[in-house]
Amino acid sequence: MLEHHYLTTLFEPKSVAVIGASDRENSVGNVLFRNILDSGYRGRLYPINPAHETIQGVQAYKSIEEISARVEMAVIVTRPQTVPGVIEQCGRSGVRNAIVITSGFAEAGHSGAALERKMMEIARSYGVRLLGPNCLGIIRPSLGLNATFARIHANTGHLALVSQSGAICSAVLDWATSNRIGFSSVISLGGTADVDFGEILDYLIYDNRTHYILLYVEGIRDARRFMSALRSAARIKPIVLLKAGRHAGGLAAVETHSGMAAGSDIVFEAAVRRAGVVRVKNIGQLFYAAKALASKFRPQGKRLAIITNGGGPGAMAADRAGDLEIPLAQLSVSTMQKLNAAMPPTWSQSNPVDIEGDATPKRYHDATLAVAEDDAVDGVLVMLSPQAMTQPMEVAKAVIEVDLQTAKPILTCWMGEEQVHEARSLLEEAGIPSFRMPETAIELYYHISTYYWNQKLLLQTPAPSSKHARPETEGAKMLIEAVLQERRKLLSEMESKAILRAFRIPVAQTMVAHTPTEALLLAEQIGFPIAMKIDSPDILHKSEVGGVRLNITNAPAARNAYHDMIETVKKRHPTARINGLSIEPFLARPNGRELMIGVSRDPIFGPIITFGAGGTEVEVFSDRAVALPPLNRFLARDLIQSTRASKLLGEFRNMPPVNHEALEEILLHVSQMICELPWLQELDLNPLIVDESGGIAADARIVIDYAAPSGDRYAHMAIHPYPVHLIQEWELPDGRTVTIRPIRPEDAEREQQFVIGMSEESKYYRFMDTIRELTQTMLVRFTQIDYDREMALVATLPDAEGKEVQIGVSRYVTNPDGESVEFALAVADDWQRHGVGRKLMSALIDCARAKGYRSIVGDVLSMNTKMFSLMTRLGFTTHPHPDDPAVKRVIKPLNN
């Protein structure tokens, strides 16, 4: 793999020029240049100020163009009006990276936005990458580089902090210094006019000094890049995120400060959950979560057991757990027996486990061990309040002893200060999180258990639908194009339901009557009882204007309803255009629950799916959960369970449980619609009636619009779905058909068997190592991929029982330079020399070319003559490897 990320010289510069460095006390140029000097930067440093011969004792230059040596990074602290000209000077001088500290750009209004556009035009014309503007700068403690105007330095460590707010950086640094926390990087993004979260996360993935990542987010410019990078980084390094703008006041402040739209917070929450990230609400939680992750605190569920020597603290902890919906574990019979044998008769007999104020270290030890061994317990909170008989240090030692015996995560709350601070320090040194207040401990448990649940969401890669249920996508597209040609964007109910049927979503049959006679004919054709609804593009909520009649049982009632409804609607909404009345079966489902599935567009993250309670009260109760498509069954189930309505879907008031599988299936089909129809702007299925036999959409509304032209068919989505269009079939000379398709998570066992079946030579050629089989981590990494930045194509054949057998795989991953990809290829020994490798590589090259990469490269062992022969036939050239003489590098340009 190419070794250096293209932003390496920005974050690891060997030379820095400070343009606007100053001797004027307390000026930004003065403080920033002093910070670089005082931090012991080991590279070359050039102050630039046309008014001075020296700056703080260092020779100064009038402009960047006067410096004869190469400058890798410039830090700009001049007035905003001068910045575009300074960037142009940097470009002419070969400087490829600049940090713009200066404010007064997009966040300052129209004139500032125009100045920012001018700055970016010049930067792009010279290939200069910009961090900022309006940022604090960067700190790289391991390089001795503090290129910020903060008056606080950072210790060296393994945390990377990336923030859109310089003030947050300063506050975090201040907090971290007093808590002896070190950093690999502190990066202030500012206005993110150019370099943004996505690119920085890409860089930090490859930064060996960074083990954990902390993010402070205000707004996102490129949702696809952000989500792709966030998901890739979160697979490798834990990420803790703090975001402002959870409420209206915060959103307004964010837009004023950053100059960008912040989008809906509920959608952002859904996005980061899907990315496997834990989100916190304040700076303290940010660091507590980071410290807990660093200490290998690993809850695998949320069921918590609380052990306390005081009823009051235990109740406080239980209350906060209830606020956060953390279930208190139901202790098993055997655990209760152990506790009864070891505790005094007056212990609480329940969870929280109150072991009384005179609890000895042994009592703490026995209680903690007993609940930790309970299969119904996912984590243990041990609490201590200093009472007359309490021995805080000895109890801490007892808890540490139990922690060494069990895999269950333990956290502690030693309340108070003077009598317990040494014991707290001992616990923290042992890697056990320790807190002063029960609420803080509970919040930490909530965030870290949520993190590990979100990691499960991260690993979900929705697969394509089965062949027998593939949607009639072309018919739906033709209908949409016809509607747009009529200059309409709102589909009628009949058109909406036709689209839904094309995607296998059950709908109630609907026909539109334009006269009372037509209504009678359609009612007889459909069969009584029927429902009648007003059909108007101007009426969103039909029932509010008297536009719905249900359970019409005969012809006279139908005729009367027609006349009455038309008159009523005209009185209540005289300007509405009325096409007629829609006639459909009245869905009399006594066990039915009314639900709602919606689709809308978030300005940042694009299409989202909403699920919740349906019917006319949907807006009153506001019971909804949000997810980003694409979905699979795991994600659909998680979406359903995130609502209060989910509690009504089981056995309820003598009604049988609904058909959960059918409900999940409808959500999956809606997800498919979003993926394949970029024109879809809004979808409202309300009510969706679900009972024990399945679900059916009684009403449907769809809004469409022209899709932005793009070479990427999934450009409208923040998360790249399974690329169904890449599936192809290839017929062998003997008539058998090989399927070449993108890999899926359920291919894990096939991938493992494929590797196990390879000869030792083939394994060595592929992995350049002696392996017997793939580790679980490798298997996850190989089969659960981000199709936006990597690709793996498998070749499969059906065996005698019709099951797929893998006979080859080709894959690429994006290199750190962002412009090339590195490939790997393996073919089962029995299938070599049958053209499988060539077919897989050709398909892979086409994928990389379609994504716009400039070249595809690979490292091949010098003895692998068969691979070199194939590479030559495919147009690759061979070059020496820069580091290893036993390996050669093959390269193919991808000219688009």
Side-chain angles (χ1 to χ4, degrees):
M1 181 172 284
L2 302 182
E3 291 79 8
H4 297 293
H5 191 274
Y6 59 89
L7 292 181
T8 297
T9 52
L10 173 61
F11 296 114
E12 302 175 36
K14 294 183 174 63
S15 53
V16 175
V18 180
I19 304 174
S22 174
D23 276 328
R24 182 163 53 88
E25 284 296 321
N26 295 321
S27 67
V28 173
N30 175 274
V31 174
L32 189 145
F33 193 73
R34 171 60 58 193
N35 279 346
I36 298 178
L37 288 174
D38 291 348
S39 62
Y41 174 57
R42 293 183 287 276
R44 297 184 301 277
L45 183 60
Y46 305 99
I48 297 176
N49 190 319
H52 297 272
E53 295 295 322
T54 62
I55 298 291
Q56 298 183 34
V58 180
Q59 179 188 348
Y61 297 81
K62 296 188 184 305
S63 78
I64 190 87
E65 294 174 301
E66 281 194 3
I67 302 172
S68 57
R70 183 189 177 200
V71 176
E72 291 193 341
M73 184 182 76
V75 185
I76 301 171
V77 291
T78 61
R79 291 179 296 108
Q81 292 77 14
T82 67
V83 172
V86 170
I87 297 292
E88 187 165 12
Q89 291 177 0
C90 289
R92 289 199 299 263
S93 302
V95 179
R96 291 292 171 261
N97 305 287
I99 300 176
V100 182
I101 305 292
T102 310
S103 60
F105 291 89
E107 79 282 358
H110 295 300
S111 60
L115 191 63
E116 184 172 301
R117 286 193 296 272
K118 182 179 179 181
M119 174 185 74
M120 286 309 307
E121 287 171 5
I122 293 170
R124 290 191 180 106
S125 68
Y126 285 99
V128 180
R129 300 307 309 274
L130 302 183
L131 185 67
N134 189 23
C135 71
L136 185 71
I138 67 169
I139 304 177
R140 295 281 286 174
S142 63
L143 304 179
L145 176 62
N146 179 359
T148 73
F149 59 94
R151 295 186 180 274
I152 302 170
H153 294 273
N155 298 320
T156 303
H158 297 297
L159 283 172
L161 169 65
V162 185
S163 171
Q164 279 178 304
S165 166
I168 293 293
C169 284
S170 298
V172 168
L173 284 169
D174 187 45
W175 192 96
T177 300
S178 62
N179 284 272
R180 301 189 302 277
I181 294 172
F183 294 87
S184 61
S185 304
V186 177
I187 302 168
S188 171
L189 284 176
T192 62
D194 182 21
V195 175
D196 63 3
F197 280 109
E199 291 181 280
I200 289 175
L201 286 167
D202 281 343
Y203 168 77
L204 292 175
I205 290 173
Y206 294 96
D207 181 27
N208 292 329
R209 298 182 185 91
T210 298
H211 297 176
Y212 308 92
I213 301 171
L214 312 182
L215 300 180
Y216 171 77
V217 180
E218 291 184 346
I220 301 299
R221 290 188 187 272
D222 186 338
R224 169 70 72 82
R225 183 74 189 249
F226 175 73
M227 286 298 293
S228 183
L230 194 65
R231 296 175 77 220
S232 291
R235 291 176 188 271
I236 300 169
K237 301 178 181 183
I239 299 176
V240 184
L241 183 148
L242 171 64
K243 182 184 181 295
R246 291 186 291 117
H247 304 291
L251 281 170
V254 162
E255 292 185 15
T256 300
H257 174 238
S258 65
M260 67 178 74
S264 164
D265 190 68
I266 191 173
V267 176
F268 186 89
E269 180 75 29
V272 297
R273 285 185 75 234
R274 183 72 178 272
V277 172
V278 60
R279 182 183 179 186
V280 296
K281 294 181 179 178
N282 58 53
I283 292 173
Q285 291 176 354
L286 188 76
F287 274 105
Y288 288 137
K291 288 173 70 175
L293 290 169
S295 68
K296 312 302 182 193
F297 187 78
R298 299 284 188 273
Q300 296 303 310
K302 291 192 173 184
R303 299 169 300 177
L304 181 65
I306 301 171
I307 297 171
T308 176
N309 68 340
M316 291 169 63
D319 278 346
R320 189 61 183 136
D323 292 341
L324 298 174
E325 297 185 350
I326 297 173
L328 296 185
Q330 187 70 41
L331 301 178
S332 67
V333 173
S334 62
T335 299
M336 295 294 288
Q337 290 172 347
K338 291 177 186 176
L339 291 171
N340 283 329
M343 300 298 113
T346 53
W347 80 277
S348 62
Q349 299 289 321
S350 64
N351 181 17
V353 179
D354 184 355
I355 59 176
E356 299 294 321
D358 62 348
T360 63
K362 184 177 188 311
R363 196 184 299 172
Y364 264 101
H365 175 280
D366 294 346
T368 306
L369 184 60
V371 298
E373 290 178 339
D374 193 325
D375 290 338
V377 173
D378 296 315
V380 184
L381 168 60
V382 182
M383 301 179 63
L384 177 145
S385 57
Q387 302 183 35
M389 295 76 71
T390 308
Q391 303 173 56
M393 184 64 79
E394 297 306 313
V395 172
K397 292 176 181 176
V399 171
I400 293 170
E401 183 180 331
V402 175
D403 186 60
L404 295 173
Q405 294 177 255
T406 179
K408 295 284 177 67
I410 297 175
L411 71 161
T412 60
C413 175
W414 263 223
M415 300 178 71
E417 189 57 42
E418 186 64 31
Q419 299 179 55
V420 299
H421 74 274
E422 288 185 9
R424 259 200 312 263
S425 297
L426 182 67
L427 289 162
E428 289 179 350
E429 287 171 10
I432 300 174
S434 188
F435 300 90
R436 290 172 171 80
M437 303 301 293
E439 295 88 351
T440 313
I442 293 292
E443 288 166 5
L444 181 279
Y445 185 78
Y446 167 77
H447 287 126
I448 302 303
S449 59
T450 299
Y451 168 78
Y452 286 103
W453 176 257
N454 291 355
Q455 283 282 300
K456 294 178 183 177
L457 300 182
L458 167 65
L459 298 180
Q460 303 304 312
T461 303
S465 60
S466 59
K467 290 184 178 180
H468 69 272
R470 282 188 178 175
E472 297 171 3
T473 308
E474 291 308 312
K477 289 179 179 178
M478 289 172 64
L479 176 54
I480 288 171
E481 289 168 357
V483 171
L484 289 174
Q485 284 176 1
E486 295 176 9
R487 298 185 178 181
R488 289 192 294 123
K489 294 183 179 179
L490 176 63
L491 275 62
S492 69
E493 186 169 350
M494 283 184 66
E495 291 166 338
S496 296
K497 288 185 174 179
I499 298 287
L500 295 172
R501 275 194 295 269
F503 281 85
R504 309 290 191 247
I505 296 170
V507 297
Q509 180 188 7
T510 299
M511 289 181 278
V512 175
H514 303 91
T515 66
T517 302
E518 279 188 18
L520 291 177
L521 289 172
L522 293 177
E524 293 291 351
Q525 183 177 335
I526 290 173
F528 291 103
I530 62 165
M532 300 176 72
K533 302 173 186 175
I534 200 75
D535 184 12
S536 168
D538 303 317
I539 298 173
L540 178 59
H541 300 293
K542 302 178 181 69
S543 59
E544 291 180 2
V545 295
V548 177
R549 297 288 189 277
L550 303 176
N551 198 17
I552 299 170
T553 58
N554 55 55
R559 181 184 290 274
N560 292 336
Y562 188 98
H563 289 294
D564 182 53
M565 206 182 313
I566 293 291
E567 290 178 11
T568 302
V569 171
K570 283 183 176 179
K571 286 180 182 178
R572 296 184 181 180
H573 201 320
T575 61
R577 294 166 292 170
I578 298 176
N579 299 328
L581 297 185
S582 64
I583 314 295
E584 60 188 55
F586 174 63
L587 301 175
R589 293 195 170 192
N591 297 327
R593 280 74 145 183
E594 290 192 349
L595 302 172
M596 178 277 299
I597 294 176
V599 174
S600 60
R601 290 275 181 135
D602 181 76
I604 307 300
F605 291 96
I608 60 168
I609 300 175
T610 305
F611 174 81
T616 56
E617 296 84 13
V618 61
E619 294 179 0
V620 177
F621 294 108
S622 191
D623 175 32
R624 65 173 186 150
V626 170
L628 268 64
L631 302 180
N632 64 4
R633 284 200 179 274
F634 184 95
L635 296 168
R637 199 170 300 126
D638 178 69
L639 176 61
I640 295 167
Q641 292 172 352
S642 299
T643 64
R644 294 191 298 275
S646 65
K647 297 178 174 62
L648 306 178
L649 303 181
E651 192 170 341
F652 177 71
R653 291 183 178 173
N654 298 320
M655 293 190 292
V658 306
N659 186 331
H660 281 83
E661 186 173 335
L663 177 57
E664 291 165 13
E665 197 73 27
I666 291 172
L667 281 166
L668 295 182
H669 290 318
V670 169
S671 174
Q672 264 191 308
M673 281 182 63
I674 295 171
C675 296
E676 301 305 324
L677 301 179
W679 306 272
L680 183 62
Q681 301 294 311
E682 297 177 28
L683 167 66
D684 188 15
L685 303 184
N686 183 26
L688 174 73
I689 302 174
V690 183
D691 62 12
E692 69 276 14
S693 62
I696 188 167
D699 205 350
R701 173 180 171 274
I702 290 178
V703 177
I704 58 174
D705 203 348
Y706 292 97
S710 173
D712 180 359
R713 64 190 288 154
Y714 301 118
H716 60 294
M717 302 182 67
I719 300 175
H720 199 296
Y722 184 83
V724 180
H725 62 286
L726 296 180
I727 301 174
Q728 57 178 289
E729 292 184 338
W730 170 48
E731 190 169 322
L732 296 169
D734 62 6
R736 285 185 291 178
T737 300
V738 175
T739 299
I740 295 176
R741 59 169 176 78
I743 204 164
R744 304 192 297 257
E746 55 265 38
D747 289 321
E749 181 60 29
R750 272 186 286 272
E751 177 82 357
Q752 183 70 281
Q753 293 305 313
F754 169 75
V755 171
I756 291 172
M758 294 168 65
S759 66
E760 295 303 316
E761 180 184 68
S762 293
K763 288 179 186 176
Y764 190 74
Y765 283 164
R766 165 60 183 91
F767 299 103
M768 298 186 190
D769 198 358
T770 53
I771 68 167
R772 293 177 60 85
E773 59 183 48
L774 300 177
T775 64
Q776 188 60 36
T777 301
M778 293 171 71
L779 208 52
V780 169
R781 186 69 191 86
F782 282 179
T783 58
Q784 299 180 8
I785 68 172
D786 182 345
Y787 302 109
D788 193 43
R789 61 178 54 220
E790 56 188 319
M791 183 55 65
L793 300 174
V794 291
T796 67
L797 271 172
D799 63 11
E801 298 177 355
K803 295 180 181 178
E804 274 190 302
V805 176
Q806 183 175 318
I807 61 172
V809 59
S810 62
R811 64 178 68 241
Y812 71 65
V813 294
T814 307
N815 274 317
D817 64 5
E819 297 183 344
S820 66
V821 294
E822 181 179 358
F823 79 87
L825 172 68
V827 177
D829 290 72
D830 292 343
W831 284 96
Q832 293 176 13
R833 301 187 182 278
H834 284 73
V836 176
R838 181 172 187 138
K839 196 72 178 176
L840 280 168
M841 277 304 300
S842 297
L844 191 73
I845 290 167
D846 288 343
C847 291
R849 183 181 289 115
K851 279 289 187 181
Y853 293 109
R854 294 188 178 183
S855 62
I856 181 167
V857 305
D859 292 342
V860 182
L861 285 168
S862 300
M863 64 185 78
N864 192 349
T865 56
K866 288 186 285 187
M867 181 68 82
F868 285 117
S869 175
L870 174 60
M871 293 299 105
T872 301
R873 294 198 302 275
L874 289 170
F876 284 76
T877 56
T878 304
H879 308 266
H881 193 279
D883 300 319
D884 189 348
V887 176
K888 292 183 180 179
R889 180 160 287 167
V890 293
I891 302 175
K892 179 182 175 65
L894 300 175
N895 299 318
N896 294 297

